[in-house]
Amino acid sequence: MPELSEITTLGRTVETPASPEAAVIDVVPNPQQGTLFAARFVAPEFTSLCPVTGQPDFGHLVIDYAPDASLIESKSLKLFLTSFRNHGAFHEDCTVGIGRRLAEAAKPLWLRIGGYWYPRGGIPIDVFWQTGAPPEGLWLPDQGVPPYRGRG
Amino acid sequence: MPELSEITTLGRTVETPASPEAAVIDVVPNPQQGTLFAARFVAPEFTSLCPVTGQPDFGHLVIDYAPDASLIESKSLKLFLTSFRNHGAFHEDCTVGIGRRLAEAAKPLWLRIGGYWYPRGGIPIDVFWQTGAPPEGLWLPDQGVPPYRGRG
Amino acid sequence: MPELSEITTLGRTVETPASPEAAVIDVVPNPQQGTLFAARFVAPEFTSLCPVTGQPDFGHLVIDYAPDASLIESKSLKLFLTSFRNHGAFHEDCTVGIGRRLAEAAKPLWLRIGGYWYPRGGIPIDVFWQTGAPPEGLWLPDQGVPPYRGRG
Amino acid sequence: MPELSEITTLGRTVETPASPEAAVIDVVPNPQQGTLFAARFVAPEFTSLCPVTGQPDFGHLVIDYAPDASLIESKSLKLFLTSFRNHGAFHEDCTVGIGRRLAEAAKPLWLRIGGYWYPRGGIPIDVFWQTGAPPEGLWLPDQGVPPYRGRG
Amino acid sequence: MPELSEITTLGRTVETPASPEAAVIDVVPNPQQGTLFAARFVAPEFTSLCPVTGQPDFGHLVIDYAPDASLIESKSLKLFLTSFRNHGAFHEDCTVGIGRRLAEAAKPLWLRIGGYWYPRGGIPIDVFWQTGAPPEGLWLPDQGVPPYRGRG
Amino acid sequence: MPELSEITTLGRTVETPASPEAAVIDVVPNPQQGTLFAARFVAPEFTSLCPVTGQPDFGHLVIDYAPDASLIESKSLKLFLTSFRNHGAFHEDCTVGIGRRLAEAAKPLWLRIGGYWYPRGGIPIDVFWQTGAPPEGLWLPDQGVPPYRGRG
Amino acid sequence: MPELSEITTLGRTVETPASPEAAVIDVVPNPQQGTLFAARFVAPEFTSLCPVTGQPDFGHLVIDYAPDASLIESKSLKLFLTSFRNHGAFHEDCTVGIGRRLAEAAKPLWLRIGGYWYPRGGIPIDVFWQTGAPPEGLWLPDQGVPPYRGRG
Amino acid sequence: MPELSEITTLGRTVETPASPEAAVIDVVPNPQQGTLFAARFVAPEFTSLCPVTGQPDFGHLVIDYAPDASLIESKSLKLFLTSFRNHGAFHEDCTVGIGRRLAEAAKPLWLRIGGYWYPRGGIPIDVFWQTGAPPEGLWLPDQGVPPYRGRG
Amino acid sequence: MPELSEITTLGRTVETPASPEAAVIDVVPNPQQGTLFAARFVAPEFTSLCPVTGQPDFGHLVIDYAPDASLIESKSLKLFLTSFRNHGAFHEDCTVGIGRRLAEAAKPLWLRIGGYWYPRGGIPIDVFWQTGAPPEGLWLPDQGVPPYRGRG
Amino acid sequence: MPELSEITTLGRTVETPASPEAAVIDVVPNPQQGTLFAARFVAPEFTSLCPVTGQPDFGHLVIDYAPDASLIESKSLKLFLTSFRNHGAFHEDCTVGIGRRLAEAAKPLWLRIGGYWYPRGGIPIDVFWQTGAPPEGLWLPDQGVPPYRGRG
Ligand SMILES: [Ca+2]
Ligand SMILES: [Ca+2]
Ligand SMILES: [Ca+2]
Ligand SMILES: [Ca+2]
Ligand SMILES: [Ca+2]
Ligand SMILES: [Ca+2]
Ligand SMILES: [Ca+2]
Ligand SMILES: [Ca+2]
Ligand SMILES: [Ca+2]
Ligand SMILES: [Ca+2]
Ligand SMILES: [Ca+2]
Ligand SMILES: [Ca+2]
Ligand SMILES: [Ca+2]
Ligand SMILES: [Ca+2]
Ligand SMILES: [Ca+2]
Ligand SMILES: [Ca+2]
């Protein structure tokens, strides 16, 4: 279980990591360990690069998880997400990859991520991944992001 | 003033015109001539071609006008709009051009058109044209098309 | 000024008039005569017939007026609107015509009507008429009917 | 200018007045007197009786005013509005009458009231009254009550 | 089962408790004991302090429960929630902790709490906890809080 | 099974019952008996009294049921609900009590009621009750009442 | 399985049937027979008569079905629905009856109908019927009609 | 498993295919193969022709799938959808047919398509098809397209 | 004109001021001085105390201004607003007072504030103040806060 | 007036400019020169850096203008906006500066820009600038971006 003294970013001024690989996802001890509950992060300020054209991509990410011993520390999460600013990846790969990194760092009972990407060629892509079926008895509302609708 | 007997499409099966130039915009006598009022058409089923790439463009058009002697006949309006299906034009030109054609055909006291185009490169264009300031005393609600907002 | 004893429908069981011409629009004395205010009726249950095809048309009507000596009695208004059920008229004519009949009956300081018709051929028509510019100092919110948007 | 010691309801348990006539509308000194601003009350919990049938009517009231020496005290406003629970009045009369009573009590620079009534016979009535044109330089947003729309 | 005479706040003027620990959550006898139903409280007026920075946090709380012998008395609930005004706690801990306190006080058949927190660093946290799977046959709508969406 | 001749209110002018106990809930024969379906009533015009303070409470009620031999007659339902106007009851008790009375009167295969009450002390209460799990094969949409959200 | 040559209305000018009994519901061969899918019709232009008062009723109908050998032909559906214009029936009976007629005509694997009726006496009725539990593996979104909410 | 070198459209200027049959649906290797997740495409820019009248039809398509070895390449998807511009097909057939073509090309673990068509004769059709029940443990939000509602 | 070196809070860890009087509103030089434009702050995280009961009040504040030589520095604005947490004031006074303090500090060409308060006794208050009529040529959208609507 | 041959980006693969200064804003001849109309660009995919902390900022930009001899070419607009990705500027400065650059490049009759920035410290900033009062007779709808509202 992580110690508060090991947190790398909370309450400090920290540089944005140069790449997702360089980013550290901090966790803090879960004060409600042993209780089954879900936490949700919404990150509407996300951008990465298209791996083919190098042009910026924009996405709206929603992450749900059921913590075990650790909580994901939100400032390090923000820095981790910011580290994709100069990183190239396909939407499907990027979304699932972020979910995997968070799951590895926090070792939750369960985790899912929804990536809602801005349209390209008039067609947006949404990506939905979870580590498996949610635990029995976990309460988990829909992510509720409105679907793309074009104009009118 | 047009006669009902001159209407080219109402109540008949008519081919889609091959081009905007070939289309005829029918008008019918305005049974309320002398009364200042506005009529609005909403056309969410509009598509044309990009003059540079030849790819389809999609738009949502809203047309408001104050009739004088003639009303725009809605079936011929639909056929006129359908005639852009294989026609190439920039968004700005296409929108203003449709407005001009309708104004020439119906000779209204006043007319405006809003063209709300689907995003290209992540950025949609809206175009707003009117024949001039609306007549005094004309009641004219906003067109109320929601702005583009991306995702989230 | 009308007398309450002259009201033809209020508090009685009354047949739907056979036609708009046969309908009587009752008015009641305005208990706030001399005060400039507006009243709004919203009638989402309106249907008439297409004068060309005989098929039913559906509309959503919103009527605003500034009463003078008389208020429009709402039960007779409902019967008047119901009398269009078997009546054929173009959307533009029907909307403006209803506005005119109400203005003749109630002799208001000012009146307007918005007719928001269901789509035909994928294109709805809205019609906006008023007796003239609204009186100075009259407070009058937008009618706020959402524009047609197709699907998506 | 009223004194705080004259307030009849604030901070006390008070009976609902038996009728609108019996209700006292308290005012408090305006701590920003000399400053032109607007205050808005929204009262979605309003009910009165139909003067013809005795059946309950329901309304949603929005009141805007520009205070002069006095503010309308909100607890006494609530009791005043509650006093209509067993009172019969037509929608138009009731709305304008409430506006007048408040204007008499608070002697504001300007006041308006919007009454948004629940449908009867499928048709709701809205009533809009103001004491006159708003003062120059007063900022006053729309009341923004969504219009009735039936179903669908 | 609690007696009405034991209620500490209802119908009295009571000071806000100095801390969550000092707050008393009153319950009242459930007049429908033996009937399986759910009650929901929505508390959009909630604020606490960040345990690290001492800055205020804001949350929107929704609590659902299936009462057994007791109902949660809503005035004491309000005072309990108000007692967090000067209390520092992480979002996850605070939300689950409130749920636990209420469950201890009311001993319901089942209870859940959703905490919807305002964004920090551009990212809000939502927390979802329940005492276990809902009882069979309990009817329980979604909490329906719209997800955070940033701008646009 | 009830006879149409036994209906007490339909097509007649009837006084509002003095209390819920005095109200008669009429039923009519179900012309589709033997078919499993659901009917929903929405009653946004409901008010009762707080049993402690005597102040008016307001609620929005939604009732779903699967009829057996009888349909609930809607005019008597309206009169029954109106009879709470001078009746004092806690929100939880009032909501469940109305559901029980309707279930006793109509003896449906199944019934549920949702009571969505206006906020008191900044916190609204919603109450959800059903007679049991819905019958297999019954189609039953969400009641879809938007949650309270305060301001902003 | 029906032949295209047997279709009675498609591509022809056809009179509105005088009654629901006189209406013919055409079906066309299902080009995807053997594939389990759902089709939905939304009919916001529906009106019938109250069997007691003869006054018009308005409804918004949504029909979902899983076709077997036949598809419901939409022009004949429209004519069938139009045939209720002069037909009297209770809301519950009318909705379920339309569902039954369609199920008899198209012999689908499964069908449901939602009838969302305009308010009478301030209370609307919704009716939900299906032929049985939906087939395993059929994908079927909610009908998503917003609930009635009165005003405010 | 497809090779990137086999992709026919990505990063090239490519003509719109003359027909759906002529279109090639490219796939790319799934970098997250072995992970169960869903991807969603939303295509609000879709148009085809009515097979009977030759008039344009418009639809809003939403496609969800769980990739196996391949991802659907979005530029070729766009070209495939564009190829329906001069293609005639019934709504039900067209929607299910697109789903089938995509399933054949990408050989996903599972796929579904929702086709939300613009109204014809006042009645829109929605079509819902999936290859079977979704895999256990796949997370799949509703498509959330708002239902058609006519006007008002 | 202020110097950046005089800013008291930006880029530093600063205590919340003990009272509004103790708070310092920092300004920064306007890099676009001489250009007429508007800036808007939205502060949904605002709370103060009722001056009579000492209970917490919650408000949603929107501030628009046209800067002259100075911009309002947003971190000091946040601290200023936070300083009302333990301050008692009536809604009208509090809203106008905040506007005045900001106008004194930033000496803008023009400023307005909208205070949208949570309901008390079922009735919310909104307060609208501006320093005068907006400068000619300033572009200023509505604040667009939805009105209170109770439930349903 | 620009020549099409001078356009630097349209129909070519072009690198993102390294800075706003390095970006070229292309214009194309206005085919409707002499006609007063407005065009709107919406750019929800915008990001820059905070000049103090270096952290990313996100904004949603809406640009309206009345073209004279030139139209702003949308691909070069996109590249110009993308060039802010590694550029630091305050929200107020950045928004007005973009507006000025576009006005210099296109020399329109009139131009305005709205910048709607994501919240920092819980408070978003919106910035509104125009080159002056809009030309008489120009039709210009509201930009209609919904205000920030926090949670709930
Ligand atoms: Ca695009
Ligand atoms: Ca795009
Ligand atoms: Ca967004
Ligand atoms: Ca149509
Ligand atoms: Ca659309
Ligand atoms: Ca009614
Ligand atoms: Ca406006
Ligand atoms: Ca933030
Ligand atoms: Ca759902
Ligand atoms: Ca009604
Ligand atoms: Ca409708
Ligand atoms: Ca309250
Ligand atoms: Ca309240
Ligand atoms: Ca309401
Ligand atoms: Ca924040
Ligand atoms: Ca809020």
Side-chain angles (χ1 to χ4, degrees):
Chain A
M1 201 181 76
E3 298 298 310
L4 269 171
S5 60
E6 295 174 301
I7 297 172
T8 61
T9 71
L10 193 63
R12 304 181 194 175
T13 304
V14 179
E15 292 290 295
T16 298
S19 71
E21 292 71 29
V24 176
I25 299 167
D26 283 327
V27 296
V28 296
N30 175 3
Q32 298 280 352
Q33 189 178 1
T35 300
L36 182 63
F37 71 97
R40 169 174 294 172
F41 293 107
V42 179
E45 305 184 9
F46 184 84
T47 181
S48 57
L49 300 177
C50 172
V52 174
T53 65
Q55 290 296 305
D57 281 334
F58 286 77
H60 178 102
L61 304 180
V62 184
I63 298 152
D64 294 323
Y65 75 113
D68 188 0
S70 304
L71 297 178
I72 297 171
E73 195 280 316
S74 71
K75 186 170 177 185
S76 73
L77 171 64
K78 181 176 170 68
L79 288 167
F80 171 54
L81 296 179
T82 303
S83 75
F84 283 80
R85 193 170 178 90
N86 296 310
H87 179 77
F90 285 108
H91 295 348
E92 294 89 343
D93 198 23
C94 187
T95 310
V96 177
I98 289 171
R100 284 193 180 288
R101 273 291 298 278
L102 294 173
E104 284 160 20
K107 297 181 181 46
L109 302 171
W110 171 90
L111 182 146
R112 73 177 178 188
I113 181 170
Y116 308 87
W117 298 84
Y118 286 58
R120 290 292 166 260
I123 297 178
I125 300 183
D126 294 347
V127 184
F128 308 103
W129 176 72
Q130 58 187 358
T131 55
E136 288 283 312
L138 181 69
W139 168 41
L140 196 68
D142 280 355
Q143 292 196 343
V145 176
Y148 181 65
R149 52 164 285 198
R151 301 303 305 281
Chain B
M1 201 182 74
E3 297 298 311
L4 269 172
S5 59
E6 295 174 302
I7 296 173
T8 61
T9 70
L10 192 64
R12 305 181 193 173
T13 302
V14 180
E15 292 290 295
T16 298
S19 71
E21 292 71 30
V24 175
I25 299 166
D26 283 328
V27 295
V28 295
N30 176 4
Q32 298 280 351
Q33 188 178 1
T35 300
L36 182 64
F37 70 97
R40 170 174 294 172
F41 294 107
V42 179
E45 305 184 11
F46 184 84
T47 181
S48 56
L49 300 179
C50 173
V52 173
T53 66
Q55 289 297 305
D57 281 333
F58 286 77
H60 178 103
L61 304 180
V62 184
I63 297 152
D64 294 323
Y65 75 112
D68 188 1
S70 305
L71 297 179
I72 297 171
E73 195 279 318
S74 72
K75 188 171 176 185
S76 73
L77 171 64
K78 182 177 170 69
L79 287 168
F80 172 54
L81 296 179
T82 302
S83 75
F84 284 81
R85 193 171 177 90
N86 296 311
H87 179 76
F90 285 109
H91 295 348
E92 295 90 341
D93 198 24
C94 187
T95 310
V96 178
I98 289 170
R100 284 193 181 289
R101 273 293 296 278
L102 294 174
E104 285 159 19
K107 297 182 181 46
L109 302 172
W110 171 90
L111 182 147
R112 73 178 179 188
I113 182 169
Y116 308 87
W117 297 85
Y118 286 57
R120 290 291 166 260
I123 297 179
I125 300 184
D126 294 348
V127 183
F128 308 103
W129 177 71
Q130 59 187 358
T131 55
E136 288 283 312
L138 181 70
W139 168 41
L140 196 67
D142 280 355
Q143 293 196 343
V145 177
Y148 181 64
R149 53 163 284 200
R151 304 302 307 279
Chain C
M1 202 182 75
E3 297 297 310
L4 270 172
S5 59
E6 296 174 302
I7 297 174
T8 62
T9 70
L10 191 64
R12 305 181 193 176
T13 303
V14 180
E15 293 290 294
T16 298
S19 71
E21 291 71 30
V24 175
I25 299 167
D26 283 327
V27 295
V28 295
N30 175 4
Q32 298 279 352
Q33 188 178 1
T35 301
L36 182 64
F37 71 97
R40 169 174 294 171
F41 294 107
V42 179
E45 306 184 11
F46 183 85
T47 182
S48 56
L49 300 178
C50 173
V52 174
T53 66
Q55 289 296 306
D57 282 332
F58 286 76
H60 178 102
L61 304 180
V62 184
I63 297 152
D64 294 322
Y65 75 111
D68 190 359
S70 303
L71 296 179
I72 297 172
E73 195 279 319
S74 72
K75 187 170 177 186
S76 72
L77 171 64
K78 182 176 170 68
L79 288 168
F80 171 55
L81 297 179
T82 303
S83 74
F84 284 81
R85 194 171 178 91
N86 296 312
H87 179 78
F90 285 109
H91 294 348
E92 295 90 341
D93 198 23
C94 187
T95 310
V96 177
I98 289 171
R100 283 193 181 289
R101 273 293 297 279
L102 294 173
E104 284 160 19
K107 298 182 179 44
L109 301 172
W110 170 89
L111 182 147
R112 73 177 180 189
I113 182 170
Y116 308 87
W117 297 84
Y118 286 57
R120 290 292 166 259
I123 297 179
I125 300 183
D126 294 347
V127 184
F128 308 103
W129 177 71
Q130 57 188 359
T131 55
E136 288 284 312
L138 181 70
W139 168 41
L140 196 68
D142 280 357
Q143 293 197 343
V145 177
Y148 182 65
R149 50 162 286 198
R151 302 301 307 279
Chain D
M1 201 181 76
E3 297 299 309
L4 270 172
S5 59
E6 296 175 301
I7 297 174
T8 60
T9 71
L10 192 64
R12 305 181 193 175
T13 303
V14 179
E15 293 289 297
T16 299
S19 71
E21 291 71 28
V24 175
I25 299 167
D26 283 327
V27 295
V28 296
N30 175 4
Q32 298 280 353
Q33 188 178 2
T35 301
L36 182 63
F37 71 97
R40 169 174 295 172
F41 294 107
V42 180
E45 306 184 10
F46 184 85
T47 182
S48 57
L49 300 178
C50 173
V52 173
T53 66
Q55 289 296 307
D57 282 333
F58 286 77
H60 178 102
L61 304 181
V62 184
I63 297 152
D64 295 323
Y65 75 112
D68 189 0
S70 304
L71 297 179
I72 297 171
E73 195 279 319
S74 71
K75 187 170 176 186
S76 73
L77 171 63
K78 183 178 169 67
L79 288 168
F80 171 54
L81 296 179
T82 303
S83 75
F84 284 81
R85 194 171 178 89
N86 296 310
H87 179 78
F90 285 109
H91 294 350
E92 294 91 341
D93 198 24
C94 187
T95 309
V96 178
I98 289 171
R100 284 193 181 288
R101 272 293 297 279
L102 293 173
E104 285 160 19
K107 298 181 179 46
L109 301 171
W110 170 88
L111 183 147
R112 73 176 178 190
I113 182 169
Y116 308 87
W117 297 85
Y118 286 57
R120 290 294 167 258
I123 297 179
I125 299 182
D126 294 348
V127 184
F128 308 104
W129 176 71
Q130 56 187 359
T131 54
E136 288 283 312
L138 180 70
W139 168 40
L140 195 68
D142 280 356
Q143 293 196 344
V145 176
Y148 181 65
R149 52 163 285 197
R151 303 303 306 279
Chain E
M1 202 181 77
E3 297 298 311
L4 269 172
S5 59
E6 295 174 302
I7 296 173
T8 61
T9 70
L10 193 63
R12 304 181 194 176
T13 303
V14 180
E15 293 290 296
T16 299
S19 71
E21 291 72 29
V24 175
I25 300 167
D26 283 327
V27 295
V28 296
N30 175 3
Q32 298 279 352
Q33 189 178 0
T35 300
L36 183 63
F37 71 97
R40 169 174 294 172
F41 294 108
V42 179
E45 306 184 10
F46 183 85
T47 181
S48 57
L49 301 177
C50 173
V52 174
T53 67
Q55 290 296 307
D57 281 333
F58 287 76
H60 178 102
L61 304 180
V62 184
I63 297 152
D64 294 323
Y65 75 111
D68 190 0
S70 304
L71 296 179
I72 297 172
E73 195 280 318
S74 71
K75 186 170 177 186
S76 73
L77 171 64
K78 182 177 169 68
L79 288 168
F80 171 54
L81 296 179
T82 303
S83 75
F84 284 81
R85 194 171 177 90
N86 296 311
H87 179 77
F90 285 108
H91 294 349
E92 294 90 342
D93 198 24
C94 187
T95 309
V96 178
I98 289 170
R100 283 193 181 288
R101 273 293 297 280
L102 294 174
E104 285 160 19
K107 297 182 179 46
L109 301 171
W110 170 90
L111 182 148
R112 73 178 179 189
I113 182 169
Y116 308 87
W117 297 84
Y118 285 58
R120 291 292 164 259
I123 298 178
I125 300 183
D126 294 349
V127 183
F128 309 103
W129 177 71
Q130 58 187 359
T131 55
E136 288 282 312
L138 182 69
W139 168 40
L140 196 67
D142 280 355
Q143 293 197 341
V145 177
Y148 181 65
R149 52 164 284 199
R151 302 304 305 281
Chain F
M1 201 181 77
E3 297 299 309
L4 270 172
S5 59
E6 295 174 301
I7 296 173
T8 61
T9 70
L10 193 63
R12 305 182 193 175
T13 302
V14 179
E15 293 290 296
T16 298
S19 72
E21 291 71 29
V24 175
I25 300 167
D26 282 327
V27 295
V28 296
N30 175 4
Q32 296 279 352
Q33 188 177 1
T35 300
L36 183 63
F37 71 98
R40 170 174 295 173
F41 294 107
V42 179
E45 306 184 11
F46 183 84
T47 180
S48 57
L49 301 178
C50 173
V52 174
T53 66
Q55 289 297 306
D57 281 333
F58 286 77
H60 178 103
L61 304 180
V62 184
I63 297 152
D64 294 323
Y65 75 111
D68 190 0
S70 304
L71 296 179
I72 297 172
E73 195 279 318
S74 71
K75 186 169 176 187
S76 73
L77 171 64
K78 183 177 169 68
L79 288 168
F80 171 54
L81 295 179
T82 303
S83 75
F84 284 80
R85 194 172 177 89
N86 296 310
H87 179 78
F90 285 109
H91 294 348
E92 295 90 341
D93 198 23
C94 187
T95 310
V96 178
I98 289 171
R100 283 193 181 289
R101 273 293 296 280
L102 294 173
E104 284 159 20
K107 297 182 180 48
L109 300 172
W110 170 90
L111 183 147
R112 74 177 178 190
I113 182 169
Y116 308 87
W117 298 85
Y118 285 57
R120 290 293 165 259
I123 298 179
I125 299 183
D126 293 349
V127 183
F128 308 104
W129 176 70
Q130 56 187 1
T131 56
E136 287 283 311
L138 180 70
W139 168 40
L140 196 67
D142 280 355
Q143 293 197 341
V145 177
Y148 181 65
R149 52 163 285 197
R151 302 303 306 280
Chain G
M1 201 181 77
E3 296 299 309
L4 268 172
S5 60
E6 295 174 301
I7 296 174
T8 61
T9 71
L10 193 65
R12 305 183 193 173
T13 302
V14 180
E15 294 289 296
T16 298
S19 71
E21 291 72 29
V24 175
I25 299 167
D26 282 328
V27 296
V28 296
N30 175 4
Q32 297 280 352
Q33 187 178 4
T35 300
L36 182 63
F37 70 98
R40 168 174 297 173
F41 294 107
V42 179
E45 306 184 11
F46 183 84
T47 181
S48 57
L49 300 178
C50 173
V52 173
T53 66
Q55 289 296 306
D57 281 333
F58 286 76
H60 178 103
L61 303 180
V62 184
I63 297 152
D64 294 322
Y65 75 112
D68 190 359
S70 304
L71 296 179
I72 297 171
E73 196 278 318
S74 71
K75 187 170 175 186
S76 74
L77 171 63
K78 182 178 169 70
L79 288 168
F80 171 54
L81 296 179
T82 303
S83 75
F84 284 80
R85 193 171 178 90
N86 296 310
H87 178 78
F90 285 109
H91 295 348
E92 295 90 341
D93 198 22
C94 186
T95 309
V96 178
I98 289 171
R100 284 193 181 288
R101 273 293 297 279
L102 294 173
E104 284 159 20
K107 296 181 180 46
L109 301 172
W110 170 90
L111 182 147
R112 74 176 177 189
I113 183 169
Y116 307 87
W117 297 84
Y118 285 57
R120 290 293 166 259
I123 297 178
I125 299 183
D126 294 349
V127 183
F128 308 104
W129 177 71
Q130 57 186 0
T131 56
E136 288 283 311
L138 180 71
W139 168 41
L140 195 69
D142 279 355
Q143 293 196 343
V145 176
Y148 181 65
R149 52 164 283 197
R151 305 301 307 280
Chain H
M1 200 183 76
E3 296 298 309
L4 269 172
S5 60
E6 295 175 301
I7 297 173
T8 61
T9 71
L10 192 63
R12 305 181 193 175
T13 302
V14 180
E15 293 290 296
T16 298
S19 70
E21 292 70 31
V24 176
I25 299 167
D26 284 327
V27 297
V28 296
N30 176 3
Q32 298 279 353
Q33 188 178 3
T35 300
L36 181 64
F37 71 98
R40 169 174 295 172
F41 294 107
V42 179
E45 305 184 11
F46 183 84
T47 182
S48 56
L49 300 178
C50 173
V52 174
T53 66
Q55 290 296 306
D57 281 333
F58 286 77
H60 178 103
L61 303 180
V62 184
I63 297 152
D64 295 321
Y65 75 112
D68 188 1
S70 304
L71 296 179
I72 297 171
E73 195 279 317
S74 70
K75 187 171 176 185
S76 74
L77 171 63
K78 181 177 170 68
L79 288 168
F80 171 54
L81 296 179
T82 302
S83 76
F84 284 81
R85 193 170 178 90
N86 296 311
H87 179 77
F90 285 110
H91 295 347
E92 295 90 341
D93 198 23
C94 187
T95 309
V96 177
I98 289 170
R100 283 194 180 287
R101 273 292 299 278
L102 293 173
E104 285 160 19
K107 296 181 181 47
L109 301 172
W110 171 90
L111 182 147
R112 74 176 178 189
I113 182 170
Y116 307 87
W117 298 85
Y118 286 57
R120 290 290 166 264
I123 297 178
I125 300 184
D126 294 348
V127 183
F128 308 103
W129 176 71
Q130 58 187 358
T131 56
E136 288 282 312
L138 180 70
W139 168 41
L140 195 68
D142 279 356
Q143 293 196 343
V145 176
Y148 180 64
R149 52 164 283 197
R151 303 302 307 280
Chain I
M1 201 181 76
E3 297 299 309
L4 269 171
S5 59
E6 295 175 299
I7 296 174
T8 60
T9 70
L10 192 64
R12 305 182 192 174
T13 303
V14 179
E15 293 290 296
T16 299
S19 71
E21 292 72 29
V24 175
I25 299 166
D26 283 328
V27 295
V28 296
N30 176 4
Q32 297 280 353
Q33 188 178 2
T35 301
L36 182 64
F37 70 97
R40 170 174 295 173
F41 294 107
V42 179
E45 305 184 11
F46 184 83
T47 181
S48 57
L49 300 179
C50 173
V52 174
T53 67
Q55 289 296 306
D57 281 333
F58 286 78
H60 179 101
L61 304 180
V62 184
I63 297 153
D64 295 322
Y65 75 112
D68 188 0
S70 304
L71 296 179
I72 297 171
E73 195 280 318
S74 72
K75 186 169 176 185
S76 73
L77 172 64
K78 182 177 169 68
L79 288 168
F80 171 54
L81 296 180
T82 303
S83 75
F84 284 80
R85 195 172 177 88
N86 297 310
H87 179 77
F90 286 109
H91 294 348
E92 294 90 341
D93 198 23
C94 188
T95 308
V96 177
I98 288 170
R100 284 194 180 288
R101 273 292 298 278
L102 294 173
E104 285 159 20
K107 296 180 181 47
L109 301 172
W110 171 88
L111 183 147
R112 74 177 177 189
I113 182 169
Y116 308 87
W117 298 85
Y118 286 58
R120 291 293 166 258
I123 297 178
I125 299 183
D126 294 349
V127 183
F128 309 103
W129 177 71
Q130 56 187 359
T131 56
E136 288 282 312
L138 180 70
W139 168 41
L140 195 69
D142 280 354
Q143 293 197 344
V145 176
Y148 181 65
R149 54 164 283 200
R151 304 302 306 281
Chain J
M1 201 181 75
E3 296 298 311
L4 268 172
S5 60
E6 295 175 299
I7 296 174
T8 60
T9 70
L10 192 63
R12 306 182 193 173
T13 303
V14 180
E15 293 290 295
T16 298
S19 70
E21 291 71 31
V24 175
I25 299 167
D26 284 328
V27 296
V28 296
N30 176 4
Q32 297 279 353
Q33 188 178 1
T35 300
L36 181 64
F37 71 97
R40 169 173 295 173
F41 293 107
V42 179
E45 304 184 11
F46 184 84
T47 181
S48 57
L49 300 179
C50 172
V52 174
T53 66
Q55 290 297 306
D57 282 333
F58 286 77
H60 178 102
L61 304 180
V62 183
I63 298 152
D64 294 322
Y65 75 112
D68 188 359
S70 304
L71 296 180
I72 297 171
E73 195 279 317
S74 72
K75 187 172 175 184
S76 73
L77 171 64
K78 182 178 169 69
L79 288 168
F80 172 54
L81 296 180
T82 303
S83 75
F84 284 80
R85 194 172 177 88
N86 297 310
H87 179 77
F90 285 110
H91 295 349
E92 293 90 342
D93 198 23
C94 187
T95 309
V96 177
I98 289 171
R100 283 193 181 287
R101 273 292 297 279
L102 293 173
E104 285 160 19
K107 296 181 182 47
L109 301 173
W110 171 90
L111 182 147
R112 73 177 179 189
I113 182 169
Y116 307 87
W117 298 84
Y118 286 57
R120 291 292 165 260
I123 297 179
I125 299 184
D126 293 349
V127 183
F128 308 103
W129 176 72
Q130 58 187 357
T131 56
E136 289 283 313
L138 181 69
W139 167 42
L140 195 68
D142 281 355
Q143 293 197 343
V145 176
Y148 181 65
R149 52 164 283 200
R151 304 301 308 279

